[in-house]
Every structure is written in structure tokens, then in C-alpha cells.
Amino acid sequence: MLDPEKCGMTRFPAPVLAERAKPIETVDDSIRRLAAKMIDLMIEFKGVGLAGPQAGVDLRIFVASPDGTRENAKVYINPEIEPAGPIEAVEEGCLSLPGIFAKIRRNTQCTVTATDLDGNRCTESAEGLLARAFQHEFDHLEGKLIKDRFSRIQQIAARRRLRELMEDYESLSS
Ligand code: ZN
């Protein structure tokens, strides 16, 4: 049973981050409460996006705000994305991989079609940071983290920090 009150920031290597998230069948009050909680987490941790698995929930939902403000935060349920435009490598971080930053190649534009909190299917096109956030958050729903997109050299550079995160996770869960 989904309990949004129990959701919290989830970091690598929590298994939920490596799984493909499940579709949301009905947009009900528990989903609306989950979305509100996810926006709170995104604002608290100063992100521009947050996906369900990052809140510990294996559901296909993400929130994003182009400027990291609550006013501009939006909720995307069961999203489909269509990246477009040229590929650009831009430095990215991830709230689930604190302390790791690396240039990730992504399309500069992206169209997202998703269900909103009223249950309506909407389409939105973005470019720049928001287009990148859509692609990054969609990756989370597929169980993919930025480290899974790293080049060999980026993997080597991040190895130590990844090991620290694994040790932190073990000490928290033991
Ligand atoms: Zn992320």
C-alpha cells in the first residue's frame, strides 16, 4: 500500500533505482499526496526534477520545475518522451548520486506526453535544462541512472564516490 508520508530521498544503490517503474492505473488521492511529497523533496534538496523511484516508489511519475521553484513545479504521470534536436554534452548531477557530476550526452529538445493530477493527458515541448530534466527523470523510470550513461573514463573518475555511497547505504540498512 502506498503511504506518501513514508516516502523519502532514496540514494544509490537502493534496488528501486535500478528497476523499471510500474504504470499508475488511477490518479487518486494517494497519488496526489505522493506528488505533493515529491515536490517537497525536490524543493528541499534543491533539484529541478525528481522521479518516483527517487522517493522510494516504483511508480511511473516524476515532478519537474525549470527553475527549481514550487510555483513552476509540474507533475508528469505515465510519461512518454520524444527527444529531438542535436545532442549536447552538459554537466549533470542527480539527487540519488550526491557528489557525482559528469557531462551527459542528451538531445537539446524533448516533448513529453503525460497524465496530470486531474487525469488529463497533456503534451508539452521543452528545450535546454527542462528538456534535459525530462530525459533524466524518464531514465529513472526505466531504472537508469547517470552512472549507467558514463563513458569508461567517467566511470573510473566516479568509482571512489560510488564506493562511498555503497558503504553509506550498507551502514544505514544494517
Ligand atoms: Zn536523478
Side-chain angles (χ1 to χ4, degrees):
M1 195 58 190
L2 175 63
D3 183 356
E5 301 314 311
K6 292 207 179 100
C7 294
M9 185 55 74
T10 302
R11 298 190 176 90
F12 171 82
V16 68
L17 292 169
E19 288 160 14
R20 188 167 192 274
K22 297 181 185 72
I24 289 173
E25 279 166 25
T26 319
V27 180
D28 56 16
D29 276 346
S30 71
I31 297 299
R32 282 185 272 271
R33 289 209 311 278
L34 170 65
K37 177 76 189 184
M38 286 172 62
I39 291 172
D40 287 346
L41 286 173
M42 175 178 73
I43 303 289
E44 179 185 345
F45 289 89
K46 301 184 177 7
V48 293
L50 187 89
Q54 294 185 278
V57 178
D58 68 338
L59 292 174
R60 300 186 81 76
I61 176 172
F62 67 71
V63 297
S65 170
D67 55 1
T69 64
R70 188 178 294 276
E71 297 71 58
N72 292 319
K74 284 177 76 171
V75 180
Y76 304 84
I77 294 165
N78 297 336
E80 294 164 72
I81 59 163
E82 214 172 303
I87 305 273
E88 202 176 43
V90 174
E91 188 162 89
E92 273 181 40
C94 177
L95 297 179
S96 296
L97 287 168
I100 291 181
F101 299 91
K103 284 192 170 180
I104 304 292
R105 290 163 52 81
R106 296 197 197 270
N107 291 84
T108 56
Q109 297 157 26
C110 185
T111 298
V112 61
T113 300
T115 302
D116 67 17
L117 287 179
D118 299 316
N120 301 314
R121 204 76 184 148
C122 309
T123 296
E124 185 183 329
S125 291
E127 53 181 30
L129 178 66
L130 190 58
R132 183 163 284 273
F134 287 159
Q135 294 169 78
H136 178 118
E137 301 314 327
F138 188 83
D139 270 358
H140 276 299
L141 304 183
E142 297 294 297
K144 203 168 195 177
L145 297 174
I146 52 171
K147 70 165 189 65
D148 302 315
R149 291 189 174 274
F150 282 0
S151 67
R152 187 84 191 101
I153 289 169
Q154 287 173 321
Q155 281 172 23
I156 292 166
R159 204 152 54 185
R160 186 175 163 177
R161 180 63 187 142
L162 287 171
R163 204 182 308 131
E164 283 172 358
L165 289 170
M166 286 165 104
E167 285 163 7
D168 290 351
Y169 185 81
E170 308 245 309
S171 62
L172 280 174
S173 47
S174 63

